Amino acid sequence: NFQSGRKRSSLTLHITRFFEARHDPSHAPLMLWLNGGPGSSTIASGLLFELGPCTVAPTGTYTRRNPHSWTENLNILFIDQPIGTGYSYATSRPLVTTLDDLAVDVYALLQIFFRHFPQYAARPFHLAAESWGGHYAPHIAHYIFSQNEQIMGAQLAGNDERIWVNLTSVTMANGLTEPASQFESIPQYLCMDSPYPLMDWDDPRCVALRTGSPACIRAIKACYRFPHSKATCSAATWACWPGYMSAPITSLYNISYL
């Protein structure tokens, strides 16, 4: 079974899809899955092409059952966020522009969800995010934790209507949390210092990585200094992804495909 809807939080509309677990949904944990990007639609990407109960067929004209879906054993909520991503939109305020605002929005939506479906409120809650979601998940988890602390104090006084979120784990799939450090470590990880390096240090692809690394890191740090400059941050994107990563790695999701 699944629920489809538009959840209003903080004067915005989040587009959501919720799927019950295929096995024992009345006892299965609850997971929130978020794609990254930034700007990647969770519904159009994670739900329909990664871990959802169905995937888009090669022809693009229908969907088919995904036997590897995480909904085999989890109740999963998919949300298009931040506002302005995918099918989510704002009605009477600017788009979300900070991670702090994003966390407040997602928390507000979770409160709405638990009020509509209280049977899931006490379940273990797993927060999972991919790629740029490595920025989203820690901020959301921190905000949930801070609100739970406030709820503990307020409930002693008997004057709080917020619902406790039973945060059990935070999962980041291929999470991009701090790009400068992560990109800088790639040559060492692939070619030298990992437990199972995939290439020899003198492999031409390793040489290409070491050669391209300084330009990538300089571009990222320039974006850090001028975070609101599209030109500066776009330059970092192009220097690091197609320029730096594309030559040695053919699959960003499976580094054994070299």
Side-chain angles (χ1 to χ4, degrees):
N1 294 330
F2 80 97
Q3 295 285 337
S4 172
R6 301 185 303 173
K7 303 298 184 184
R8 185 180 298 272
S9 63
S10 304
L11 303 178
T12 64
L13 287 173
H14 284 281
I15 305 303
T16 66
R17 296 292 185 273
F18 173 69
F19 295 85
E20 287 186 333
R22 289 171 176 162
H23 303 291
D24 197 15
S26 60
H27 296 96
L30 174 67
M31 172 176 279
L32 169 63
W33 174 265
L34 305 172
N35 276 80
S40 177
S41 168
T42 296
I43 292 171
S45 298
L47 170 57
L48 292 175
F49 287 94
E50 296 178 336
L51 65 147
C54 55
T55 58
V56 176
T59 62
T61 57
Y62 65 96
T63 59
R64 59 188 181 187
R65 188 179 189 274
N66 179 9
H68 308 293
S69 172
W70 291 12
T71 58
E72 286 290 312
N73 298 295
L74 292 167
N75 301 298
I76 302 184
L77 178 64
F78 297 87
I79 302 176
D80 268 352
Q81 61 74 54
I83 287 298
T85 300
Y87 302 99
S88 294
Y89 59 94
T91 55
S92 59
R93 73 167 204 192
L95 300 179
V96 169
T97 57
T98 71
L99 292 168
D100 289 339
D101 288 343
L102 176 146
V104 172
D105 259 13
V106 172
Y107 181 82
L109 187 141
L110 289 174
Q111 293 292 305
I112 295 171
F113 177 84
F114 288 133
R115 284 190 171 85
H116 279 81
F117 305 101
Q119 67 270 30
Y120 296 104
R123 306 280 181 88
F125 176 71
H126 302 280
L127 172 59
E130 177 186 81
S131 187
W132 194 258
H135 283 65
Y136 302 154
H139 279 77
I140 296 169
H142 178 266
Y143 191 75
I144 290 173
F145 183 80
S146 67
Q147 295 301 300
N148 281 348
E149 284 191 320
Q150 292 181 22
I151 290 171
M152 288 179 63
Q155 284 183 341
L156 294 176
N159 60 352
D160 199 295
E161 296 183 354
R162 284 171 294 182
I163 298 171
W164 176 277
V165 179
N166 189 19
L167 182 63
T168 304
S169 74
V170 179
T171 299
M172 289 181 284
N174 196 35
L176 190 62
T177 55
E178 203 284 282
S181 298
Q182 289 176 273
F183 275 95
E184 191 172 30
S185 70
I186 288 171
Q188 288 77 20
Y189 180 80
L190 287 179
C191 307
M192 186 177 67
D193 289 338
S194 65
Y196 305 101
L198 298 174
M199 295 182 287
D200 293 329
W201 183 251
D202 294 328
D203 186 295
R205 292 167 294 182
C206 288
V207 174
L209 280 171
R210 294 197 300 274
T211 302
S213 178
C216 167
I217 303 309
R218 284 196 301 270
I220 291 175
K221 290 182 177 179
C223 179
Y224 286 176
R225 290 194 299 272
F226 305 101
H228 301 295
S229 168
K230 291 183 179 180
T232 303
C233 294
S234 293
T237 299
W238 285 101
C240 296
W241 288 109
Y244 174 48
M245 293 289 290
S246 60
I249 299 175
T250 57
S251 172
L252 296 177
Y253 291 92
N254 189 339
I255 59 174
S256 66
Y257 295 157
L258 294 172

